[in-house]
Amino acid sequence: MQYPKYVDPKDLHRETDAVLEKKVSALLAAMTEEEKLNLCHGHENPAGMQVANAGYNPGVPRLGVPEIRMYDGPAGVTSVYETTGLPVQEMLAATWDTNLAYRYGEVEGSENFAISGNTQLGSQFDVVRVPQFNRDKDMLGEDPFLTSALAVPETKGIQDAGVVAVLKHFGVASIGTDMQDAADQIVDEQTLHEIVFPPFEAAAKEGGAGAFMCCYNKFNGAYASANEYAQKTVLRDMWNFKGYMMSDWGANHSLSTAKGMDMEMPNGTYNSN
């Protein structure tokens, strides 16, 4: 099978915010309760099909709401198909090159789109905090200013190809050796907004990111998947974020939709009907 080398932006039709609001309102009014609930969590791939390597949601076919096909990152597109093996993000950061960051994201987005995807589970904009963390190589370093400066063009590069950039792992990740074993992180508000959150804020406000993914651990007493300060106070109220929030795979621990979690992944253990 031959895929296009890249997606030409002129072939992508983008609606205005006003038109999108009207369409979303109309769709919600037409959906059944079951259809709405099914959008709150991931689903298994259709029988016999490997449509996405990471996560899948069937959408609402009868109303034309498309499937959500997720491919993993951040160093390129992890797939059953042939894709470009990009250098790890740590190497991208070493270039200090915003133009290269855009091209990096452009490769991710265009290849994701070319193999039928519409969601890129990256990039990873956590700030490096300890040298032994097993995902340091996937991050843009320990400097929040540099990470922010590169996060914006990389996010734009992904989304200019018609693919949703999912920023991860929102909260206070990158501690200990493994993400799933991290303890509750107690971090004051000044540190959150000067060190941890700036890359995410920049990518959301300036890069136009469409989605966020939470981290596994607790911070300041609550799991990130149900942390109202992060998901409601910061994302929605402070940053006016209009996209959606998803859990990391198995990172949700309770019914969390009222606390800011829009989509539990990879299934609906808690946020389901």
Side-chain angles (χ1 to χ4, degrees), residues 4-14 102 106 110 113 160-162:
K5 183 178 180 181
Y6 59 87
V7 175
D8 192 327
K10 71 178 177 59
D11 294 328
L12 300 174
H13 176 66
R14 300 183 185 279
Y102 179 85
E106 195 175 35
S110 61
F113 188 91
D160 282 351

Side-chain angles (χ1 to χ4, degrees), residues 74-77 83-89 103-105 107-108 111 154:
V77 181
T83 55
T84 302
L86 294 173
V88 293
Q89 286 203 150
R103 292 172 60 195
Y104 190 101
V107 171
E108 295 175 296
E111 293 194 348
E154 184 178 345

Side-chain angles (χ1 to χ4, degrees), residues 126-169:
D126 306 310
V127 174
V128 172
R129 301 170 67 206
V130 293
Q132 71 269 25
F133 182 54
N134 66 348
R135 296 291 293 275
D136 279 353
K137 65 180 178 11
D138 296 324
M139 293 143 69
L140 291 166
E142 61 185 10
D143 188 290
F145 180 82
L146 176 60
T147 300
S148 300
L150 297 177
V152 172
E154 184 178 345
T155 299
K156 287 182 177 179
I158 294 171
Q159 299 208 152
D160 282 351
V163 170
V164 174
V166 181
L167 313 185
K168 59 187 187 185
H169 305 87

Side-chain angles (χ1 to χ4, degrees), residues 9 28 54 58 79 81 88 96 101 105 119 122 151 163-164 177 185 190 192 242 246 255 263 267:
L28 286 173
S79 169
Y81 305 109
V88 293
W96 292 57
T119 305
V163 170
V164 174
T177 57
Q185 303 300 300
Q190 181 175 353
L192 285 175
K242 300 297 185 182
M246 70 169 66
L255 178 60
M263 180 179 287
N267 49 42

Side-chain angles (χ1 to χ4, degrees), residues 25-241:
S25 296
L27 286 168
L28 286 173
M31 283 183 194
T32 65
E33 183 175 318
E34 179 90 9
E35 288 168 338
K36 292 176 183 178
L37 288 169
N38 281 337
L39 292 175
C40 294
H41 58 86
H43 296 252
E44 291 185 2
N45 285 322
M49 295 179 64
Q50 181 69 19
V51 297
N53 89 299
Y56 175 77
N57 183 285
V60 186
R62 75 178 185 90
L63 296 175
V65 177
E67 300 169 307
I68 301 176
R69 298 185 176 192
M70 308 176 190
Y71 288 97
D72 213 349
V77 181
T78 305
S79 169
V80 296
Y81 305 109
E82 293 183 1
T83 55
T84 302
L86 294 173
V88 293
Q89 286 203 150
E90 195 171 43
M91 295 181 69
L92 171 63
T95 69
W96 292 57
D97 190 329
T98 54
N99 291 325
L100 191 59
Y102 179 85
R103 292 172 60 195
Y104 190 101
E106 195 175 35
V107 171
E108 295 175 296
S110 61
E111 293 194 348
N112 188 310
F113 188 91
I115 58 177
S116 83
N118 53 24
T119 305
Q120 175 72 9
L121 301 177
S123 287
Q124 189 168 331
F125 298 146
D126 306 310
V127 174
V128 172
R129 301 170 67 206
V130 293
Q132 71 269 25
F133 182 54
N134 66 348
R135 296 291 293 275
D136 279 353
K137 65 180 178 11
D138 296 324
M139 293 143 69
L140 291 166
E142 61 185 10
D143 188 290
F145 180 82
L146 176 60
T147 300
S148 300
L150 297 177
V152 172
E154 184 178 345
T155 299
K156 287 182 177 179
I158 294 171
Q159 299 208 152
D160 282 351
V163 170
V164 174
V166 181
L167 313 185
K168 59 187 187 185
H169 305 87
F170 191 53
V172 186
S174 65
I175 195 69
T177 57
D178 187 88
M179 294 184 64
Q180 299 188 45
D181 296 331
D184 188 3
Q185 303 300 300
I186 307 303
V187 184
D188 64 88
E189 191 169 4
Q190 181 175 353
T191 302
L192 285 175
H193 289 278
E194 290 184 357
I195 304 296
V196 180
F197 288 168
F200 295 101
E201 182 177 10
K205 289 182 176 180
E206 301 172 46
F212 275 65
M213 179 192 294
C214 76
C215 58
Y216 280 97
N217 54 279
K218 292 181 178 180
F219 75 96
N220 293 342
Y223 277 109
S225 59
N227 194 301
E228 293 188 66
Y229 177 74
Q231 298 181 154
K232 297 176 74 173
T233 302
V234 175
L235 266 187
R236 305 296 181 182
D237 298 341
M238 292 184 180
W239 299 353
N240 197 33
F241 178 66

